[in-house]
Amino acid sequence: RVLFRSMRAFRGLYAVTPDCADTGVLSGKVEAVLAAGVNLLQYRNKSAGPALRLEQARALQALCRRYAAALIINDDVELAANIDADGVHVGIDDWTLADTRARLGEHKIIGVSCYDQLARGREAANAGADYIAFGSFFASSVKPNAVRAPLSLLREARAFGRPLVAIGGITLENARQLIDAGADAVAVISALFDVADPANSARGFCQLFEAQIA
């Protein structure tokens, strides 16, 4: 398994699951993108109740272990703890970073949403966040009212010394400019899972990062 808390490895396509009530369908799509090379997965389902969230998180945890990928849970620190996920992603209305670290332990990944706020990113880095997420950089169908973040935010946030994740309306056509601006990873939902061939889309995103290294 890649040691993600070395954090140099926290790079590439960060797949974020769509709301889906059918665990079998969700698992099938997730396995397709994991097999295509994705090694970062965030389980996010804002419409599911606790029982379904637990069922789905367990199913995805099994898949991530099979493909040596990291599973991050969106918002739900207790769920992350209960299934021994690799980490959690918290927003402005969720647990504090200190409380999250106390609950999960030093070896887990904690990512923090910082929206369009450079100061929040600095605070998160200073408090020990493992990665910092900014966005929405483009219009998003998942969060149509999300505040927009400028590309310059990524360039400025490089000084914080933490991996940077770009989120919001990211497609194969616009991801390159985020990578060029300093994003270590791009978090994608719709352009990955709401397409006819998720595996092909995943390969396309992964190739963007491979091309930059080359």
Side-chain angles (χ1 to χ4, degrees), residues 57-80:
R58 283 175 170 164
L60 299 187
Q61 177 75 311
L63 287 172
C64 284
R65 286 177 173 166
R66 185 184 310 165
Y67 287 93
L71 177 65
I72 310 296
I73 303 296
N74 179 272
D75 292 350
D76 195 334
V77 177
E78 289 299 337
L79 177 59

Side-chain angles (χ1 to χ4, degrees), residues 2 8 12 29 49 63 93 105 109 133-134 141 144 150 170 175 184 186 188 204:
V2 174
R8 292 296 179 189
K29 290 184 176 183
L63 287 172
D93 297 320
I109 300 166
F134 290 107
S141 60
I170 299 172
D184 295 289
V186 292
V188 182

Side-chain angles (χ1 to χ4, degrees), residues 76-100:
D76 195 334
V77 177
E78 289 299 337
L79 177 59
N82 289 343
I83 69 162
D84 193 28
D86 296 287
V88 70
H89 181 94
V90 293
I92 197 167
D93 297 320
D94 303 316
W95 288 38
T96 66
L97 199 149
D99 287 344
T100 302

